[in-house]
């Protein structure tokens, strides 16, 4: 959470968070939530890994632009 207070965090959000990306992230968040609600640890972990990879890929692409 400390990272979110840095100026660079805001810059990266502006570069990576389009409205369509937000829809995708929200969909991923829902999948994570639903897996946790079902107490399906394997599905929750998989969904979280996919989410983190998507976020990482977006950040890497933004730094190359």
């Amino acid at each position: 959470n400390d990272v979110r207070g840095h100026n660079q965090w805001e810059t990266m959000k502006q570069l990576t968070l389009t409205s369509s990306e937000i829809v995708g992230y929200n969909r991923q968040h829902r999948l994570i939530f639903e897996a946790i609600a079902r107490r399906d640890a394997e599905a929750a972990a998989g969904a979280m890994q996919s989410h983190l990879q998507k976020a990482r890929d977006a950040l890497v692409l933004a730094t190359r632009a």
Side-chain angles (χ1 to χ4, degrees):
N1 281 333
D2 290 340
V3 170
R4 293 179 183 190
H6 298 169
N7 289 336
Q8 188 177 14
W9 179 261
E10 283 301 317
T11 300
M12 295 307 286
K13 277 181 19 182
Q14 291 173 5
L15 291 171
T16 61
L17 286 181
T18 64
S19 55
S20 64
E21 287 296 316
I22 291 170
V23 168
Y25 286 131
N26 286 340
R27 188 175 303 119
Q28 289 181 322
H29 291 160
R30 174 58 58 182
L31 290 173
I32 295 163
F33 171 80
E34 289 172 352
I36 292 169
R38 289 191 315 272
R39 299 180 186 270
D40 186 342
E42 189 172 318
M48 191 67 202
Q49 286 177 331
S50 294
H51 175 61
L52 292 175
Q53 186 63 50
K54 178 179 173 56
R56 180 185 177 280
D57 291 346
L59 290 169
V60 168
L61 282 174
T63 60
R64 293 183 182 163

